[in-house]
Amino acid sequence: MTDKMLKFVKIGQQTPPKRDVGDRKDDFNEIYDDFIKQKAEEQSSRCSQCGVPFCQVHCPLSNNIPDWLKLTAEGRLKEAYELSQSTNNMPEVCGRICPQDRLCEGNCVIEQSGHGTVTIGSMEKYITDNAWEKGWVKPIEVKFEKDQSVGVIGAGPAGLAAAEQLRKNGYKITVYDRYDRAGGLLIYGIPNFKLEKYVVERRTKLLKDGGIEFVHNFEVGKDATLDQLRKKT
Amino acid sequence: MEFLTASNKKGLGDKVELFDKGILNAEGKDIVVIGGGDTAMDCVRTSVRQKAKSVKCLYRRDKENMPGSAREVANAEEEGVEFVWLSSPKKFKGTNKVENLIVDQIQLGEPDDSGRRRPQIKQGSEFEIKADMVIKALGFDPEDLPYLFDAKELQVTKWGTVKTDFDTMETNLKGVFAAGDIVRGASLVVWAIKDGRDAAVAMKTYLENIKLKKSKVA
């Protein structure tokens, strides 16, 4: 079983190549290139499969990191994606912008023992980006829509996550946002060189395709009071 | 913040008047960013890409005591950002617009409650930095929701964040739940996702209970 894993003793740490400084100063695109499949498998095989995985303990979402690393090392990328997205509504976003050095990677046991952390963030990004490419990321299909409805104010990460989770349960969801695009700080706060905007836009499109209604340029307090929204059915 | 929004809107192909007029555009300017968090790193690195003449980052503590991600600081340094550690702005100088920034040097004292060492001004240590544009990246305050939403009865904490029940994430208004920065204060995306998911679970329970009550009455 351990054949595929625990390779940190032989394989050194590698992140996907960073773009050359001169080159990246000229545009607003992300600065890290993507892993290729073989590199991803190789790097995830460095995971030591700890019995008490401190990476998972220190992840706010308790992402099942050792398991999806193992699946990736074994080339079972679809299962890795399914597992990763089961605890996280936008893994490819977290893979890009989480401060991993303070969360999962900072607490990685092989990091603590001086071998250099498993590059968890880049793996997370790779797994879900690959899933998008392969068409594994599908909009929510509601079989029986419930007659109860939920209004969500604000299309930031918290609002979008809540909307998606409730939609999966069949509720009718309307998301109100005061800006002309959904995403909150993801779209208008975080610069492109950390998070390119197509990443956010394809997420919101996915939610729309899943039957979530978005009302843009809608300011609660101006266009309707909180009280009026609460009285809606 | 307006600076980053303007830059992102430009990136998305929108027209942004303040950017086109040059007010929110760093091109050709000497830029000074005040603050040492992740937002400050976003501002300096955006300025570099807008072709600023020079980009300096002023932070009142040193590198070891920065709140933001070390990786982002390293990326900024690589891209040519100059960090002026242990410095704190005192006043702006210039006619009509800012031209220079008067800065005090700082020494670090005893650690405070957060474990980081408390900055103290070194007397008589001030110096000048040339600046065409100064960007403040000094943290976010929660918006005044009771006022904005026209809902005076919505309870907030002394920090201005929305008060919620720790277990259910429900506010003092029945059926109104809250999650994310407006409850937690400025934080990470991953925490926002976590809160959103938790709120969804609590809301589902709430909605199911309403159903149950109705069916019992009927």
Side-chain angles (χ1 to χ4, degrees):
Chain A
M1 173 217 133
T2 49
D3 245 0
K4 280 236 156 45
M5 304 305 286
L6 292 153
K7 290 288 161 57
F8 65 91
V9 278
K10 291 196 203 107
I11 300 172
Q13 183 202 47
Q14 249 182 355
T15 50
K18 246 201 254 189
R19 292 167 56 211
D20 179 60
V21 176
D23 181 32
R24 71 191 201 222
K25 273 159 68 173
D26 284 333
D27 61 41
F28 281 80
N29 299 339
E30 284 177 18
I31 69 167
Y32 294 98
D33 288 334
D34 299 326
F35 266 134
I36 52 167
K37 185 162 183 276
Q38 180 214 346
K39 269 281 167 247
E41 287 176 13
E42 193 182 286
Q43 284 295 309
S44 33
S45 75
R46 295 179 69 245
C47 170
S48 78
Q49 300 285 293
C50 304
V52 180
F54 291 103
C55 51
Q56 179 171 11
V57 172
H58 286 88
C59 173
L61 288 166
S62 298
N63 284 339
N64 201 337
I65 297 164
D67 284 359
W68 47 251
L69 285 174
K70 184 162 189 280
L71 290 166
T72 307
E74 292 171 350
R76 297 157 71 184
L77 286 173
K78 190 165 184 192
E79 289 155 279
Y81 160 71
E82 293 292 349
L83 189 61
S84 168
Q85 64 86 41
S86 69
T87 54
N88 190 346
N89 298 72
M90 37 190 105
E92 76 281 23
V93 174
C94 291
R96 283 172 166 86
I97 59 170
C98 257
Q100 287 96 3
D101 52 353
R102 280 186 280 156
L103 303 170
C104 52
E105 293 182 9
N107 293 283
C108 174
V109 165
I110 67 173
E111 164 80 7
Q112 303 289 335
S113 64
H115 289 85
T117 174
V118 179
T119 52
I120 300 168
S122 327
M123 296 310 313
E124 189 181 31
K125 167 175 180 265
Y126 169 78
I127 291 168
T128 305
D129 277 352
N130 178 65
W132 276 100
E133 239 170 69
K134 298 270 163 55
W136 299 335
V137 186
K138 295 254 167 58
I140 303 165
E141 256 179 70
V142 173
K143 295 229 168 63
F144 303 101
E145 191 172 79
K146 294 181 175 144
D147 57 3
Q148 288 169 305
S149 69
V150 177
V152 175
I153 305 170
L160 293 182
E164 186 172 15
Q165 292 305 99
L166 287 164
R167 183 64 190 162
K168 282 181 192 162
N169 281 290
Y171 296 104
K172 284 182 269 193
I173 315 286
T174 312
V175 180
Y176 302 92
D177 196 278
R178 65 180 140 177
Y179 291 106
D180 53 348
R181 288 188 181 86
L185 283 178
L186 297 177
I187 194 107
Y188 284 142
I190 298 166
N192 289 9
F193 48 83
K194 276 165 56 181
L195 176 65
E196 283 183 24
K197 296 307 158 228
Y198 76 91
V199 178
V200 184
E201 286 179 326
R202 70 183 175 190
R203 271 286 159 202
T204 41
K205 177 167 182 303
L206 187 81
L207 297 181
K208 279 177 197 162
D209 292 345
I212 295 174
E213 198 191 326
F214 283 83
V215 183
H216 295 296
N217 300 308
F218 187 99
E219 233 175 291
V220 180
K222 260 191 203 149
D223 298 300
T225 62
L226 184 60
D227 221 28
Q228 286 167 331
L229 283 185
R230 289 174 72 196
K231 290 195 178 107
K232 272 196 168 183
T233 49
Chain B
M1 197 58 229
E2 294 85 12
F3 174 70
L4 292 177
T5 305
S7 179
N8 277 3
K9 275 184 171 264
K10 283 307 280 187
L12 287 157
D14 292 356
K15 233 179 119 65
V16 185
E17 206 181 316
L18 285 174
F19 184 90
D20 295 330
K21 275 193 196 155
I23 296 171
L24 292 177
N25 187 351
E27 190 177 342
K29 293 179 185 165
D30 290 307
I31 307 291
V32 174
V33 176
I34 306 169
D38 288 332
T39 305
M41 292 312 107
D42 292 349
C43 289
V44 292
R45 296 177 65 202
T46 298
S47 302
V48 167
R49 285 162 175 78
Q50 289 180 354
K51 306 273 171 258
K53 201 160 110 199
S54 76
V55 185
K56 289 194 178 70
C57 177
L58 253 57
Y59 181 53
R60 58 193 180 134
R61 295 191 176 91
D62 57 10
K63 199 171 179 176
E64 284 67 45
N65 289 284
M66 277 185 106
S69 159
R71 185 182 60 190
E72 294 305 313
V73 179
N75 283 335
E77 280 182 326
E78 276 175 22
E79 287 162 14
V81 174
E82 190 191 317
F83 285 86
V84 186
W85 306 111
L86 298 166
S87 60
S88 163
K90 190 176 194 178
K91 61 181 175 203
F92 300 110
K93 247 174 66 175
T95 41
N96 296 325
K97 63 174 276 298
V98 63
E99 284 162 16
N100 282 294
L101 196 61
I102 313 280
V103 182
D104 275 324
Q105 278 182 31
I106 297 288
Q107 58 194 11
L108 291 178
E110 294 296 308
D112 64 10
D113 297 340
S114 74
R116 292 183 299 173
R117 294 175 66 191
R118 202 188 299 270
Q120 294 160 341
I121 291 173
K122 254 194 234 173
Q123 290 305 324
S125 66
E126 61 181 49
F127 60 99
E128 278 191 29
I129 294 180
K130 196 174 161 347
D132 297 317
M133 179 168 162
V134 179
I135 301 168
K136 290 189 293 180
L138 299 168
F140 296 88
D141 287 324
E143 291 180 288
D144 186 353
L145 282 199
Y147 170 76
L148 285 174
F149 283 8
D150 199 10
K152 309 248 162 356
E153 60 287 5
L154 180 68
Q155 277 180 14
V156 294
T157 67
K158 63 178 176 182
W159 297 281
T161 52
V162 172
K163 200 169 182 174
T164 56
D165 181 297
F166 283 132
D167 292 327
T168 62
M169 307 184 76
E170 192 171 8
T171 65
N172 67 311
L173 307 181
K174 207 167 149 27
V176 178
F177 296 74
D181 281 3
I182 197 61
V183 179
R184 199 177 268 283
S187 184
L188 304 173
V189 170
V190 61
W191 279 116
I193 298 174
K194 164 77 175 153
D195 290 351
R197 291 174 70 93
D198 286 352
V201 172
M203 289 162 86
K204 183 169 178 258
T205 310
Y206 173 85
L207 290 167
E208 280 169 351
N209 283 339
I210 292 181
K211 272 256 138 134
L212 266 176
K213 266 186 209 153
K214 270 190 194 152
S215 65
K216 271 187 187 159
V217 174

